[in-house]
Amino acid sequence: WDDAEGFYSLRFEKNMKEGMYRAHEVMEYDYADKKARYKSFTNKSEKVMDLPEHVKDQLSCIFFYRTMDVEIGKSNFIKVEADEKVYDLEVKALEYQNLSLPGLGSFDAVMVEPMAKFRGIFVRKGRLWIWMSADKRRIPLMMKTKIPIGSVICVLERIEQN
């Protein structure tokens, strides 16, 4: 759950089964109190931690990155909460490419790589690449990750106009 205008996290829930790794947890962000409240349903632990202003979770950071200036070869840094800690996530713009998606056509895209140091959506031992449209909308078009047992590819299937 994110604030639609500021792209900062309000609540993040993770339910993962990855090999032997299991995690089912919730983090709720209270900016008035400057605290984040963590609860694990896996091991029944609960914690409260100090909260930096408008921190991002593992997913909202992608949407926030879409609002940033992107320059090939340069990195942007985003404060991301994961594993009950706050990290400076480096996101590097690698190159422009032309990407053809079935049923949607061809897009000028920018390929970026988050350099995560935490476990979760971005596996610490794997790599993740994200292609976004190179226009001002920066539509997430495709994601590809290599993980220890193979790879996963997510491709945009449709775009709906309001």
Side-chain angles (χ1 to χ4, degrees):
W1 292 258
D2 296 320
D3 180 88
E5 292 178 10
F7 296 103
Y8 55 88
S9 302
L10 301 172
R11 176 186 165 102
F12 181 78
E13 186 167 345
K14 176 170 72 172
N15 192 356
M16 284 185 73
K17 296 174 185 156
E18 184 180 293
M20 296 301 293
Y21 177 77
R22 300 285 186 267
H24 185 191
E25 54 198 34
V26 170
M27 181 72 82
E28 293 193 343
Y29 304 90
D30 182 349
Y31 294 98
D33 196 24
K34 296 185 180 177
K35 299 290 180 190
R37 290 171 179 78
Y38 167 86
K39 181 175 183 176
S40 170
F41 297 99
T42 308
N43 64 18
K44 309 297 184 223
S45 67
E46 293 186 31
K47 298 179 185 174
V48 176
M49 60 183 274
D50 291 330
L51 181 64
E53 189 171 339
H54 298 173
V55 71
K56 314 302 178 243
D57 62 51
Q58 300 169 49
L59 188 56
S60 68
C61 65
I62 295 170
F63 293 97
F64 179 71
Y65 181 80
R66 295 173 58 207
T67 70
M68 302 177 88
D69 290 330
V70 175
E71 187 178 333
I72 300 302
K74 302 283 182 174
S75 294
N76 288 330
F77 293 85
I78 304 168
K79 291 220 177 290
V80 175
E81 182 282 319
D83 303 334
E84 306 157 54
K85 297 177 187 158
V86 176
Y87 296 88
D88 283 320
L89 173 65
E90 177 182 6
V91 183
K92 187 169 187 172
L94 301 176
E95 64 184 359
Y96 288 112
Q97 295 181 352
N98 188 276
L99 196 62
S100 183
L101 300 180
L104 293 177
S106 183
F107 292 85
D108 289 327
V110 60
M111 177 185 180
V112 302
E113 182 177 11
M115 315 298 249
K117 296 181 176 96
F118 49 84
R119 185 172 193 88
I121 292 173
F122 313 116
V123 179
R124 186 177 8 230
K125 295 180 184 173
R127 293 181 73 183
L128 173 73
W129 298 274
I130 302 170
W131 287 262
M132 298 179 182
S133 63
D135 61 10
K136 67 179 181 177
R137 299 177 301 167
R138 292 229 184 83
I139 300 167
L141 302 168
M142 184 168 74
M143 294 188 340
K144 181 177 182 181
T145 184
K146 288 187 178 182
I147 57 176
I149 60 166
S151 63
V152 176
I153 300 173
C154 301
V155 179
L156 181 67
E157 290 184 348
R158 72 177 179 271
I159 298 173
E160 296 180 7
Q161 304 288 332
N162 287 351

